[in-house]
Amino acid sequence: MDLHSVVDQAKGVFGDQAEPVELLGWFAKRVGVENIAVSVSLSGGVMLYFAEMALPGADVLFVDTGYHFAETLKFRDEAAKKQNIITLSPRLSVREQNEKYGQDLYDSDPDRCCAMRKVAPLDAALRGYSVWVTGLRRSKDQEVPLIEFDEKREIIKVNPLSQYSKDDVDRLVEEYGIVENDLRKFGYTSIGCWPCTVPTKEGQDERSGRWSGKSKTECGLHI
C-alpha cells in the first residue's frame, strides 16, 4: 500500500478540518483497523472516546515510563476494561537507569530521560502499523496538521483533535460525560510523569505545568 497516496486522498476528502469519528472511520476503511495504532498519554479521555466510537478493537498504545501518577495507571486500568490498551515499557527499569545514568535523570537531563522512557518504546511499537492516531492539539504557539506523513517513522500521522481548543475539549467532556483522569480535579491540565508535572494556576497555559522551571515543553514525540 502506498501510504503517501492514502495521505493525498485523505487531504483531498477532508482538507484541514474533519469530525474525528468520520475521519478515523475513513482511515479504518482504507487500511483496516488492525493497521491503526492510537497513542494516548491518558492525560484526558477525549481521544479514548473517539477511538472507542470509530475504531472498536484498535490497539491503544500507552507508554508506562515508570514515573506515572497512580491516578494515571488507575485510569489506564479502567480504560482497559473497554478498549485494547497495550502498555509499552522502556528497555531499562527506573533502577537500572539510575545505576547507568545517575539518580533522577529526569532532572539532570530530561530530554534523554524522555527519549529513553517514552519516545523509544513508542517508536519501536509503531513500526507494525500504517496509521498513527494522536491526541495532539493546536496551541497558541503551534499549528497542528490534521493529516500528515511522518517521514522519520514512515507512517501516516492523524491528529483528529488538531483544530480543537481546550474549551472545545472541555465542552465535549461535559456534553458526553467523558471520563477523565482524576488529577484533572486538582488543577492538572496536562499530565505526564509525576516528577515533571505540577498543577497549573488559573490563566496559565494548559501545558505550563509540564517540566516547570525548564525550557523543555515537549517530550520529543512530535518534534
Side-chain angles (χ1 to χ4, degrees), residues 40-42 60-64 68 72-73 76 86-88:
V40 292
S41 66
L42 297 181
V60 179
L61 308 181
F62 167 72
V63 183
D64 185 354
H68 280 298
T72 300
L73 298 179
R76 174 202 60 186
I86 297 177
T87 297
L88 310 174

Side-chain angles (χ1 to χ4, degrees), residues 40-44 62-63 65 67-69 72 106-107 110-111 113-115 117-119 122 135-137 139 142 181 183-184 187-201 204-223:
V40 292
S41 66
L42 297 181
S43 177
F62 167 72
V63 183
T65 63
Y67 286 116
H68 280 298
F69 290 92
T72 300
Y106 55 78
D107 190 43
D111 286 336
C113 189
C114 284
R117 307 209 67 77
K118 188 170 185 179
V119 178
L122 186 60
L136 197 62
R137 293 193 287 110
S139 67
Q142 181 184 28
N181 189 315
L183 290 171
R184 295 282 193 179
Y188 290 85
T189 53
S190 181
I191 304 164
C193 297
W194 65 260
C196 306
T197 307
V198 297
T200 53
K201 298 177 181 178
Q204 287 185 316
D205 180 82
E206 61 183 306
R207 286 184 62 83
S208 62
R210 302 288 294 279
W211 303 286
S212 181
K214 293 182 169 60
S215 60
K216 184 176 176 63
T217 59
E218 218 277 337
C219 65
L221 283 176
H222 304 293
I223 296 176

